[in-house]
Amino acid sequence: MCLALPVKVIEVGRGPAGEMGLVDLGGVKKEISLALLDDVRVGDYVILHAGFALSLLDPEEAERTLALFADMNEPPVAAA
């Protein structure tokens, strides 16, 4: 099973060829390759898989997806 996640780009132009970027996912920062995409900018959301940004993602869709992931991590509310 493969898992790709939406992440927010917080830095671009890293590495010798400028093809690396820094992304944030819930406070976790990771350097990834942006070599497969053109014109990635700080603030963009990308789909991350195996260390590579595969595609740009609509910011609203990214926020909805990240909210769903956050909901899955919250414990269920006990009935009163």
Side-chain angles (χ1 to χ4, degrees):
M1 180 173 136
C2 296
L3 180 63
L5 300 169
V7 293
K8 187 172 188 173
V9 178
I10 57 174
E11 189 177 328
V12 296
R14 295 171 65 111
E19 293 181 339
M20 302 297 286
L22 192 66
V23 296
D24 177 74
L25 177 62
V28 176
K29 293 173 179 51
K30 178 170 177 57
E31 190 173 62
I32 68 165
S33 174
L34 302 172
L36 301 176
L37 300 177
D38 292 326
D39 300 325
V40 177
R41 295 184 174 97
V42 171
D44 284 346
Y45 285 89
V46 296
I47 296 293
L48 172 67
H49 176 67
F52 289 87
L54 300 179
S55 65
L56 288 167
L57 184 62
D58 175 74
E60 291 176 6
E61 181 65 26
E63 292 292 342
R64 280 195 299 270
T65 302
L66 291 170
L68 289 171
F69 284 139
D71 287 346
M72 291 189 317
N73 286 327
E74 291 186 19
V77 177

